[in-house]
Amino acid sequence: MKCPYCDEEMEQGVIQSPHEISWKNKKYFFGKAEFHEGSIVLSGLSMLKGSATIAHCCRKCEKIIIDYKDSSCDMNHAK
Ligand SMILES: [Zn+2]
């Protein structure tokens, strides 16, 4: 993936967590996506494999980008 800021090739990596990884409009005490409308699950909870999402990094611009189209960023997502 090319960085949309500087157009250089981005470094692919992962963001992982023992918990679900999701985007929400703000931080909640109970943060699970299913409780909050409009949330985006980037990686569903997997106790066995650990939740992980593919993320692209540009060290020059100090940006990290996650492409969540069709849940393709979720490393535990069945393809
Ligand atoms: Zn960049």
Side-chain angles (χ1 to χ4, degrees), residues 3 6 58 61:
C3 176
C6 70
C58 179
C61 302

Side-chain angles (χ1 to χ4, degrees), residues 12-24:
Q12 184 172 308
V14 302
I15 294 173
Q16 67 178 88
S17 167
H19 305 286
E20 172 190 87
I21 302 170
S22 63
W23 180 93
K24 293 172 291 289

